[in-house]
Amino acid sequence: MPQQPKVIVSSTALDLPEHRKEVMDACARQGMLALMMEHLPASDSQAIEISLKLVDEADIYVGVFAHRYGYVPEQDNPQGISITEMEYDRAVERGMPRLIFLIDKDHAIKIGDVEMGEGAAKLNAFKDRLRTGNIVNHFKSPVDLRAHVINSLSRHRQPDLMAFHYVSDIPEPPESYIAHPYTLLQTHRLVGRQQELSLLTDWVTKRQDSIYWTRIMNIVAIGGMGKSALTWKWFNDIAPHEMNPLAGRMWWSFYESDATFENFVTRALAYATRRPLEEVQRIPKPEREDQLLRALDQKPFLLVLDGLERILIAYARMDAAHLSDDDFDKETANFVAKAYGLPESAAQSFTGEHRLRKTADPRAGSFLRKLANVRASRILVSTRLYPADLQTVTGEPSHGCFAIFLPGLADNDALDLWRSFNVSGARESLIPLFNQFEKHPLLIQALASEVAKYRRAPGDYERWQRDHPDFNPFSLPLVNVKSHVVDFALRGVDDKARQVLHTIAAFRMPASYDTLAAVLCEGNPCADERELDAILVELEDRGLIGWDKRANRYDLHPIVRGVVWSRLGEDTRHDVYTTLHTHFEAFPKIDDWKKVGSLEDLTSAIELYSTLIGLGRYDDAFVVFLDQLDEAMFYRLSASRQRVELLEMLLPDGLDQLPRLSKAANQSNTLHMLALGYRFSGQPGRAVPLYRRANTMDAEMNDNDNLSVGLAELAYTLRLYGALYESDSAACRALIIGVGHGDRFNEAACLDLIGSALATQGLENESNSALQRALRIRIAQLDDQGEGVTNFYLAQRALWFGEFATALLFANRAWELADVQKLEGDFIYAARVQGEAALGLNNFATADERLHHALTRARAVNLVEEELPALIALAELRRRQDDLKAARELLDDVWEPAERGPYVLFHADAFNALAQIERDASNLSEAIEAATKAYRLAWCDGPPFAYHWGLEKARKHLRELGAPEPDMPPFDQSKFEPMPEVEIDPEDEFHAGDTADD
């Protein structure tokens, strides 16, 4: 992060306090740090030393002078000059930029700031010096001074338009680490909420109460209810005094665009363990999580996770900042039994769609569940939605968790908040009004600020109400009342301020001042930065935007953003997007995806893509995605979930409709890429229908090359979730196309799929024949990478048939060949089968190392389809080592992603593993239940299109446990199209045609 410029503000320290505050804020607006000597030290020598040291540290000199000469030290001052003149002389000596501001004479007389006698003579002589060689500005008021300072400093600011994210320094604990300051608290203090503040204090102090044993406290409320303000107040003002000793405190906000779960773990670990960030970043991701959990388990830290809903499925999307959350409680079954602030009947509502409240990244959900079991630390969460990962199947909070659903303000607190804006109104008329919108704090603030600024009668609510007869929230349902109130709160905002508000609302993330100045000044709509600053001040005073002074960024509260954006007409939105497009289009393009280090490096391209979507220029957005985002996100970053979010924007009419692109080929390509994104983000079930539609389009266009690839991808994905007949059929169709076109590469890839499918079904000779032919083609074509893939499939086949020594040979060859092109997936596949082969040979040490290696790398790139079998194999290893507790914990990480995928075959394997664990623990009824579930899952379409190995294991468990096999429907051919006939290994044709020169 570039060094923040420092500005020495030189003036008489005890005079003009209002003026000096405006100068300090003007410096902050320009992203500069004001150095100000507000209080003189005890001795003259100390005062001189400190003041001159400040000048030496500064980059820019700002001198503000009224009609007082200032303090003249009696000692160590042979010239008899003031400290302010000494500071100026040092600035001249250093040759630094000097900005001079002199008070207008009439204004000085008005405030009584006129010096007489010797001081006046010295001051006049000093001013003559100031007018020589400097540009001098004259100001008439604090606000006028601020405007002049803004204008002058803007000429010395070096805009950093590429700094999209604020990255704070990590201090050493116990100093608090505020990664992202909370900036949306519109008043200077939190009004009310004493009951909730007391409850939080009881949480950390009352050891005799059951709530004390809660490790994760969740504050849940709709936007604008004050959950972040409440946690911010308690974190800063109460927790440090009530939680002693504390090893450290950390505030993290997921509202930041770069505040991902991974970044949280990385920075929290660096903070808690006092290690350099660069060192922590080199630790594999899963190990970082484990180390952080250990650190929090050993020492008492307080962590605040603000805005946790942003990592849940419901909000994990590119347009999350523009979402209206009024209906989310119903859509997500946002209820927790026995929670504070909810009726007991809330548990009955849990049967709704709670999946949307799960974390988008299953690893994050797993981490949260483990976090609830740490012993020493406490975690305070503020969230729009209670995370389902911290909830039992009966709707209650999980062990170690508690939920506070934040209601509206109490009557007296609501009135106090209203009065804090110096607005009139009788209690008997205000309370019924507040009740119409559940005494929502943000709405009270927004309406009070509008009345306070009403030009005809500032602060007179009765007059404002008479002049606005159409303000009538009493006849509207709650969902409309909120928008109604915010609409009226915006009535006094002029056109230019509205344009600024609209522009900030269009950003996906808080907007930096540099970006706003570049986009909004020079007449669009602000003439200069002085006008922009004045507008920002007004919007801040109204409580409509928040200003993070430390990062110099600006944001809207979610409820304000939602109303502002939803009320924009298409023409206005088009104008806003046009402005942003012009800005981001000028940024340099990414010329080499291999140089991309993180998702943040793609921010300008993502913003450009988003503006094109907003403009309805979908074809242009598609080009930006292919040219600047696709390869970097897929190959370099494995950012499949974010890739899905972007591609979904090309389908604004829904996933059941075609992308809004003019060419059918691009529509098909988008569906293919989106399906690939779903598969690699752990959702093969969502990928299948997209593959089918894309393949249909390719067939209609006679695009056989893409059709063959698409069918092969479909076949692989179908097998992951147990549609074995359709998987075989798709692979055979792909093989027919590949052979027909003489495409040896595609033929080998299809034979890999067919051979693996036949092995899945327990067909020994047929599977070996297909895979051996694929291997011969790969070798003949000198396709080393492909040869490695086929060796992986051969190793997996050998594992199923119990040929562990042979499996290890194939696995080692796959690992060797993975180094040719160094594709991450190839290393993961090979390491996992190496580990399983070693396990089959009872080489536990090698199995442990290889399986953990595969698991670590799979999790690092979110390759769920390899993470799950690695976890299951490790669980089996722990079982054989008689550590049943560790085995169960490993399987705990399997259930949710296996069901969500779905990954039917892995799910069956996991239940078979659990059945054996329960048998070892003599839990026979639990073993029968697990084996029965494994049997049902492994059945798939029914034999012969069943998962043979999972089914046989489940049968064996049930037989030995004396339990019956469940009734399952037999395979029904009439439900499917006929299987294409293919010749897997036409030996004569191969030997006649395949040579290394093909």
Side-chain angles (χ1 to χ4, degrees), residues 358-385:
K358 286 184 173 290
T359 57
D361 181 351
R363 287 175 44 244
S366 174
F367 180 83
L368 286 176
R369 292 191 294 272
K370 294 173 183 175
L371 196 59
N373 294 312
V374 299
R375 289 170 293 181
S377 298
R378 302 296 180 97
I379 298 87
L380 178 58
V381 170
S382 68
T383 178
R384 170 65 187 90
L385 301 172

PDB file of all heavy atoms in Angstrom, residues 358-385:
ATOM      1  N   LYS A 358     -26.262 -21.624   4.144  1.00  0.00           N
ATOM      2  CA  LYS A 358     -24.986 -22.328   4.261  1.00  0.00           C
ATOM      3  C   LYS A 358     -23.889 -21.499   3.604  1.00  0.00           C
ATOM      4  O   LYS A 358     -24.152 -20.664   2.732  1.00  0.00           O
ATOM      5  CB  LYS A 358     -25.080 -23.705   3.600  1.00  0.00           C
ATOM      6  CG  LYS A 358     -25.888 -24.723   4.408  1.00  0.00           C
ATOM      7  CD  LYS A 358     -25.865 -26.082   3.736  1.00  0.00           C
ATOM      8  CE  LYS A 358     -26.517 -27.132   4.621  1.00  0.00           C
ATOM      9  NZ  LYS A 358     -25.692 -27.433   5.815  1.00  0.00           N
ATOM     10  N   THR A 359     -22.660 -21.742   4.003  1.00  0.00           N
ATOM     11  CA  THR A 359     -21.554 -21.006   3.400  1.00  0.00           C
ATOM     12  C   THR A 359     -21.362 -21.451   1.956  1.00  0.00           C
ATOM     13  O   THR A 359     -21.504 -22.637   1.635  1.00  0.00           O
ATOM     14  CB  THR A 359     -20.246 -21.243   4.175  1.00  0.00           C
ATOM     15  OG1 THR A 359     -19.963 -22.641   4.210  1.00  0.00           O
ATOM     16  CG2 THR A 359     -20.357 -20.714   5.591  1.00  0.00           C
ATOM     17  N   ALA A 360     -21.061 -20.488   1.089  1.00  0.00           N
ATOM     18  CA  ALA A 360     -20.826 -20.819  -0.308  1.00  0.00           C
ATOM     19  C   ALA A 360     -19.607 -21.723  -0.463  1.00  0.00           C
ATOM     20  O   ALA A 360     -19.571 -22.587  -1.340  1.00  0.00           O
ATOM     21  CB  ALA A 360     -20.637 -19.531  -1.123  1.00  0.00           C
ATOM     22  N   ASP A 361     -18.621 -21.523   0.373  1.00  0.00           N
ATOM     23  CA  ASP A 361     -17.438 -22.376   0.395  1.00  0.00           C
ATOM     24  C   ASP A 361     -17.608 -23.372   1.543  1.00  0.00           C
ATOM     25  O   ASP A 361     -17.623 -22.980   2.714  1.00  0.00           O
ATOM     26  CB  ASP A 361     -16.185 -21.521   0.619  1.00  0.00           C
ATOM     27  CG  ASP A 361     -14.898 -22.342   0.629  1.00  0.00           C
ATOM     28  OD1 ASP A 361     -14.989 -23.593   0.626  1.00  0.00           O
ATOM     29  OD2 ASP A 361     -13.818 -21.742   0.646  1.00  0.00           O
ATOM     30  N   PRO A 362     -17.787 -24.658   1.259  1.00  0.00           N
ATOM     31  CA  PRO A 362     -17.983 -25.633   2.344  1.00  0.00           C
ATOM     32  C   PRO A 362     -16.874 -25.613   3.379  1.00  0.00           C
ATOM     33  O   PRO A 362     -17.104 -25.909   4.553  1.00  0.00           O
ATOM     34  CB  PRO A 362     -18.026 -26.976   1.597  1.00  0.00           C
ATOM     35  CG  PRO A 362     -18.453 -26.638   0.206  1.00  0.00           C
ATOM     36  CD  PRO A 362     -17.848 -25.291  -0.071  1.00  0.00           C
ATOM     37  N   ARG A 363     -15.643 -25.265   2.968  1.00  0.00           N
ATOM     38  CA  ARG A 363     -14.537 -25.204   3.921  1.00  0.00           C
ATOM     39  C   ARG A 363     -14.801 -24.147   4.991  1.00  0.00           C
ATOM     40  O   ARG A 363     -14.432 -24.316   6.154  1.00  0.00           O
ATOM     41  CB  ARG A 363     -13.227 -24.900   3.204  1.00  0.00           C
ATOM     42  CG  ARG A 363     -12.677 -26.069   2.399  1.00  0.00           C
ATOM     43  CD  ARG A 363     -11.434 -25.699   1.613  1.00  0.00           C
ATOM     44  NE  ARG A 363     -10.496 -24.918   2.387  1.00  0.00           N
ATOM     45  CZ  ARG A 363     -10.158 -23.660   2.096  1.00  0.00           C
ATOM     46  NH1 ARG A 363     -10.687 -23.038   1.074  1.00  0.00           N
ATOM     47  NH2 ARG A 363      -9.281 -23.019   2.830  1.00  0.00           N
ATOM     48  N   ALA A 364     -15.440 -23.045   4.593  1.00  0.00           N
ATOM     49  CA  ALA A 364     -15.749 -21.999   5.559  1.00  0.00           C
ATOM     50  C   ALA A 364     -16.758 -22.499   6.584  1.00  0.00           C
ATOM     51  O   ALA A 364     -16.641 -22.212   7.781  1.00  0.00           O
ATOM     52  CB  ALA A 364     -16.281 -20.764   4.842  1.00  0.00           C
ATOM     53  N   GLY A 365     -17.760 -23.261   6.124  1.00  0.00           N
ATOM     54  CA  GLY A 365     -18.733 -23.822   7.045  1.00  0.00           C
ATOM     55  C   GLY A 365     -18.094 -24.790   8.017  1.00  0.00           C
ATOM     56  O   GLY A 365     -18.400 -24.794   9.226  1.00  0.00           O
ATOM     57  N   SER A 366     -17.203 -25.624   7.506  1.00  0.00           N
ATOM     58  CA  SER A 366     -16.493 -26.570   8.364  1.00  0.00           C
ATOM     59  C   SER A 366     -15.655 -25.831   9.404  1.00  0.00           C
ATOM     60  O   SER A 366     -15.604 -26.214  10.580  1.00  0.00           O
ATOM     61  CB  SER A 366     -15.598 -27.476   7.511  1.00  0.00           C
ATOM     62  OG  SER A 366     -14.799 -28.317   8.312  1.00  0.00           O
ATOM     63  N   PHE A 367     -15.008 -24.751   8.982  1.00  0.00           N
ATOM     64  CA  PHE A 367     -14.180 -23.969   9.906  1.00  0.00           C
ATOM     65  C   PHE A 367     -15.042 -23.336  10.999  1.00  0.00           C
ATOM     66  O   PHE A 367     -14.666 -23.339  12.177  1.00  0.00           O
ATOM     67  CB  PHE A 367     -13.429 -22.882   9.141  1.00  0.00           C
ATOM     68  CG  PHE A 367     -12.542 -22.031  10.006  1.00  0.00           C
ATOM     69  CD1 PHE A 367     -11.271 -22.445  10.348  1.00  0.00           C
ATOM     70  CD2 PHE A 367     -12.998 -20.812  10.491  1.00  0.00           C
ATOM     71  CE1 PHE A 367     -10.453 -21.662  11.155  1.00  0.00           C
ATOM     72  CE2 PHE A 367     -12.195 -20.023  11.300  1.00  0.00           C
ATOM     73  CZ  PHE A 367     -10.916 -20.451  11.636  1.00  0.00           C
ATOM     74  N   LEU A 368     -16.202 -22.794  10.620  1.00  0.00           N
ATOM     75  CA  LEU A 368     -17.087 -22.182  11.616  1.00  0.00           C
ATOM     76  C   LEU A 368     -17.516 -23.207  12.666  1.00  0.00           C
ATOM     77  O   LEU A 368     -17.571 -22.900  13.862  1.00  0.00           O
ATOM     78  CB  LEU A 368     -18.317 -21.588  10.934  1.00  0.00           C
ATOM     79  CG  LEU A 368     -18.126 -20.292  10.138  1.00  0.00           C
ATOM     80  CD1 LEU A 368     -19.420 -19.900   9.448  1.00  0.00           C
ATOM     81  CD2 LEU A 368     -17.644 -19.162  11.038  1.00  0.00           C
ATOM     82  N   ARG A 369     -17.844 -24.412  12.216  1.00  0.00           N
ATOM     83  CA  ARG A 369     -18.259 -25.449  13.161  1.00  0.00           C
ATOM     84  C   ARG A 369     -17.125 -25.779  14.139  1.00  0.00           C
ATOM     85  O   ARG A 369     -17.353 -25.995  15.339  1.00  0.00           O
ATOM     86  CB  ARG A 369     -18.710 -26.698  12.407  1.00  0.00           C
ATOM     87  CG  ARG A 369     -20.001 -26.496  11.625  1.00  0.00           C
ATOM     88  CD  ARG A 369     -20.562 -27.803  11.104  1.00  0.00           C
ATOM     89  NE  ARG A 369     -19.710 -28.431  10.095  1.00  0.00           N
ATOM     90  CZ  ARG A 369     -19.786 -28.170   8.797  1.00  0.00           C
ATOM     91  NH1 ARG A 369     -20.666 -27.279   8.340  1.00  0.00           N
ATOM     92  NH2 ARG A 369     -19.002 -28.792   7.932  1.00  0.00           N
ATOM     93  N   LYS A 370     -15.901 -25.833  13.631  1.00  0.00           N
ATOM     94  CA  LYS A 370     -14.762 -26.100  14.508  1.00  0.00           C
ATOM     95  C   LYS A 370     -14.482 -24.913  15.422  1.00  0.00           C
ATOM     96  O   LYS A 370     -14.066 -25.078  16.574  1.00  0.00           O
ATOM     97  CB  LYS A 370     -13.527 -26.423  13.667  1.00  0.00           C
ATOM     98  CG  LYS A 370     -13.655 -27.723  12.869  1.00  0.00           C
ATOM     99  CD  LYS A 370     -12.489 -27.910  11.916  1.00  0.00           C
ATOM    100  CE  LYS A 370     -12.645 -29.159  11.072  1.00  0.00           C
ATOM    101  NZ  LYS A 370     -11.566 -29.299  10.051  1.00  0.00           N
ATOM    102  N   LEU A 371     -14.725 -23.713  14.909  1.00  0.00           N
ATOM    103  CA  LEU A 371     -14.487 -22.500  15.688  1.00  0.00           C
ATOM    104  C   LEU A 371     -15.379 -22.462  16.931  1.00  0.00           C
ATOM    105  O   LEU A 371     -14.991 -21.912  17.972  1.00  0.00           O
ATOM    106  CB  LEU A 371     -14.755 -21.272  14.806  1.00  0.00           C
ATOM    107  CG  LEU A 371     -14.227 -19.915  15.255  1.00  0.00           C
ATOM    108  CD1 LEU A 371     -12.716 -19.954  15.402  1.00  0.00           C
ATOM    109  CD2 LEU A 371     -14.620 -18.847  14.237  1.00  0.00           C
ATOM    110  N   ALA A 372     -16.562 -23.054  16.829  1.00  0.00           N
ATOM    111  CA  ALA A 372     -17.495 -23.067  17.962  1.00  0.00           C
ATOM    112  C   ALA A 372     -16.990 -23.926  19.109  1.00  0.00           C
ATOM    113  O   ALA A 372     -17.569 -23.891  20.202  1.00  0.00           O
ATOM    114  CB  ALA A 372     -18.863 -23.574  17.495  1.00  0.00           C
ATOM    115  N   ASN A 373     -15.913 -24.665  18.897  1.00  0.00           N
ATOM    116  CA  ASN A 373     -15.392 -25.561  19.930  1.00  0.00           C
ATOM    117  C   ASN A 373     -14.070 -25.104  20.530  1.00  0.00           C
ATOM    118  O   ASN A 373     -13.487 -25.819  21.348  1.00  0.00           O
ATOM    119  CB  ASN A 373     -15.232 -26.969  19.348  1.00  0.00           C
ATOM    120  CG  ASN A 373     -16.569 -27.595  18.978  1.00  0.00           C
ATOM    121  OD1 ASN A 373     -17.499 -27.576  19.772  1.00  0.00           O
ATOM    122  ND2 ASN A 373     -16.670 -28.139  17.774  1.00  0.00           N
ATOM    123  N   VAL A 374     -13.573 -23.924  20.125  1.00  0.00           N
ATOM    124  CA  VAL A 374     -12.325 -23.448  20.739  1.00  0.00           C
ATOM    125  C   VAL A 374     -12.595 -23.100  22.199  1.00  0.00           C
ATOM    126  O   VAL A 374     -13.716 -22.752  22.580  1.00  0.00           O
ATOM    127  CB  VAL A 374     -11.750 -22.224  19.992  1.00  0.00           C
ATOM    128  CG1 VAL A 374     -11.423 -22.568  18.562  1.00  0.00           C
ATOM    129  CG2 VAL A 374     -12.701 -21.041  20.063  1.00  0.00           C
ATOM    130  N   ARG A 375     -11.570 -23.191  23.028  1.00  0.00           N
ATOM    131  CA  ARG A 375     -11.777 -23.020  24.463  1.00  0.00           C
ATOM    132  C   ARG A 375     -11.473 -21.609  24.955  1.00  0.00           C
ATOM    133  O   ARG A 375     -12.213 -21.065  25.763  1.00  0.00           O
ATOM    134  CB  ARG A 375     -10.912 -24.030  25.219  1.00  0.00           C
ATOM    135  CG  ARG A 375     -11.386 -25.465  25.094  1.00  0.00           C
ATOM    136  CD  ARG A 375     -10.371 -26.443  25.649  1.00  0.00           C
ATOM    137  NE  ARG A 375      -9.143 -26.462  24.843  1.00  0.00           N
ATOM    138  CZ  ARG A 375      -8.104 -27.246  25.086  1.00  0.00           C
ATOM    139  NH1 ARG A 375      -8.127 -28.067  26.117  1.00  0.00           N
ATOM    140  NH2 ARG A 375      -7.036 -27.218  24.304  1.00  0.00           N
ATOM    141  N   ALA A 376     -10.408 -21.004  24.480  1.00  0.00           N
ATOM    142  CA  ALA A 376      -9.942 -19.760  25.099  1.00  0.00           C
ATOM    143  C   ALA A 376     -10.581 -18.507  24.503  1.00  0.00           C
ATOM    144  O   ALA A 376     -10.788 -17.524  25.212  1.00  0.00           O
ATOM    145  CB  ALA A 376      -8.423 -19.669  24.976  1.00  0.00           C
ATOM    146  N   SER A 377     -10.896 -18.507  23.227  1.00  0.00           N
ATOM    147  CA  SER A 377     -11.303 -17.284  22.532  1.00  0.00           C
ATOM    148  C   SER A 377     -12.813 -17.170  22.394  1.00  0.00           C
ATOM    149  O   SER A 377     -13.552 -18.139  22.556  1.00  0.00           O
ATOM    150  CB  SER A 377     -10.642 -17.224  21.154  1.00  0.00           C
ATOM    151  OG  SER A 377      -9.238 -17.177  21.256  1.00  0.00           O
ATOM    152  N   ARG A 378     -13.256 -15.956  22.061  1.00  0.00           N
ATOM    153  CA  ARG A 378     -14.667 -15.682  21.797  1.00  0.00           C
ATOM    154  C   ARG A 378     -14.800 -15.046  20.411  1.00  0.00           C
ATOM    155  O   ARG A 378     -13.947 -14.244  20.000  1.00  0.00           O
ATOM    156  CB  ARG A 378     -15.242 -14.720  22.843  1.00  0.00           C
ATOM    157  CG  ARG A 378     -15.136 -15.213  24.271  1.00  0.00           C
ATOM    158  CD  ARG A 378     -15.949 -16.475  24.498  1.00  0.00           C
ATOM    159  NE  ARG A 378     -15.841 -16.941  25.871  1.00  0.00           N
ATOM    160  CZ  ARG A 378     -16.735 -16.672  26.811  1.00  0.00           C
ATOM    161  NH1 ARG A 378     -17.795 -15.933  26.523  1.00  0.00           N
ATOM    162  NH2 ARG A 378     -16.581 -17.130  28.031  1.00  0.00           N
ATOM    163  N   ILE A 379     -15.902 -15.387  19.743  1.00  0.00           N
ATOM    164  CA  ILE A 379     -16.154 -14.877  18.400  1.00  0.00           C
ATOM    165  C   ILE A 379     -17.520 -14.234  18.372  1.00  0.00           C
ATOM    166  O   ILE A 379     -18.527 -14.865  18.728  1.00  0.00           O
ATOM    167  CB  ILE A 379     -16.085 -16.005  17.338  1.00  0.00           C
ATOM    168  CG1 ILE A 379     -14.678 -16.616  17.300  1.00  0.00           C
ATOM    169  CG2 ILE A 379     -16.445 -15.466  15.959  1.00  0.00           C
ATOM    170  CD1 ILE A 379     -14.447 -17.733  18.289  1.00  0.00           C
ATOM    171  N   LEU A 380     -17.565 -12.971  18.002  1.00  0.00           N
ATOM    172  CA  LEU A 380     -18.817 -12.229  17.901  1.00  0.00           C
ATOM    173  C   LEU A 380     -19.121 -12.000  16.427  1.00  0.00           C
ATOM    174  O   LEU A 380     -18.306 -11.431  15.694  1.00  0.00           O
ATOM    175  CB  LEU A 380     -18.700 -10.890  18.637  1.00  0.00           C
ATOM    176  CG  LEU A 380     -19.917  -9.965  18.601  1.00  0.00           C
ATOM    177  CD1 LEU A 380     -21.147 -10.655  19.178  1.00  0.00           C
ATOM    178  CD2 LEU A 380     -19.616  -8.675  19.360  1.00  0.00           C
ATOM    179  N   VAL A 381     -20.293 -12.460  15.997  1.00  0.00           N
ATOM    180  CA  VAL A 381     -20.687 -12.398  14.589  1.00  0.00           C
ATOM    181  C   VAL A 381     -21.857 -11.443  14.438  1.00  0.00           C
ATOM    182  O   VAL A 381     -22.817 -11.480  15.232  1.00  0.00           O
ATOM    183  CB  VAL A 381     -21.098 -13.796  14.071  1.00  0.00           C
ATOM    184  CG1 VAL A 381     -21.750 -13.702  12.699  1.00  0.00           C
ATOM    185  CG2 VAL A 381     -19.891 -14.718  14.024  1.00  0.00           C
ATOM    186  N   SER A 382     -21.812 -10.556  13.452  1.00  0.00           N
ATOM    187  CA  SER A 382     -22.998  -9.797  13.058  1.00  0.00           C
ATOM    188  C   SER A 382     -23.353 -10.228  11.642  1.00  0.00           C
ATOM    189  O   SER A 382     -22.484 -10.299  10.773  1.00  0.00           O
ATOM    190  CB  SER A 382     -22.736  -8.290  13.119  1.00  0.00           C
ATOM    191  OG  SER A 382     -21.818  -7.886  12.124  1.00  0.00           O
ATOM    192  N   THR A 383     -24.620 -10.535  11.433  1.00  0.00           N
ATOM    193  CA  THR A 383     -25.003 -11.119  10.147  1.00  0.00           C
ATOM    194  C   THR A 383     -26.469 -10.855   9.844  1.00  0.00           C
ATOM    195  O   THR A 383     -27.295 -10.760  10.759  1.00  0.00           O
ATOM    196  CB  THR A 383     -24.725 -12.641  10.141  1.00  0.00           C
ATOM    197  OG1 THR A 383     -25.140 -13.204   8.908  1.00  0.00           O
ATOM    198  CG2 THR A 383     -25.461 -13.338  11.279  1.00  0.00           C
ATOM    199  N   ARG A 384     -26.773 -10.720   8.589  1.00  0.00           N
ATOM    200  CA  ARG A 384     -28.166 -10.592   8.146  1.00  0.00           C
ATOM    201  C   ARG A 384     -28.899 -11.913   8.310  1.00  0.00           C
ATOM    202  O   ARG A 384     -30.089 -11.934   8.640  1.00  0.00           O
ATOM    203  CB  ARG A 384     -28.188 -10.146   6.674  1.00  0.00           C
ATOM    204  CG  ARG A 384     -29.542 -10.203   5.994  1.00  0.00           C
ATOM    205  CD  ARG A 384     -30.515  -9.227   6.615  1.00  0.00           C
ATOM    206  NE  ARG A 384     -31.851  -9.415   6.064  1.00  0.00           N
ATOM    207  CZ  ARG A 384     -32.764 -10.230   6.563  1.00  0.00           C
ATOM    208  NH1 ARG A 384     -32.483 -10.977   7.612  1.00  0.00           N
ATOM    209  NH2 ARG A 384     -33.969 -10.303   6.020  1.00  0.00           N
ATOM    210  N   LEU A 385     -28.215 -13.028   8.084  1.00  0.00           N
ATOM    211  CA  LEU A 385     -28.804 -14.359   8.156  1.00  0.00           C
ATOM    212  C   LEU A 385     -27.996 -15.225   9.109  1.00  0.00           C
ATOM    213  O   LEU A 385     -26.763 -15.207   9.076  1.00  0.00           O
ATOM    214  CB  LEU A 385     -28.830 -15.014   6.765  1.00  0.00           C
ATOM    215  CG  LEU A 385     -29.605 -14.291   5.664  1.00  0.00           C
ATOM    216  CD1 LEU A 385     -29.354 -14.961   4.324  1.00  0.00           C
ATOM    217  CD2 LEU A 385     -31.095 -14.271   5.966  1.00  0.00           C
TER     218      LEU A 385
END
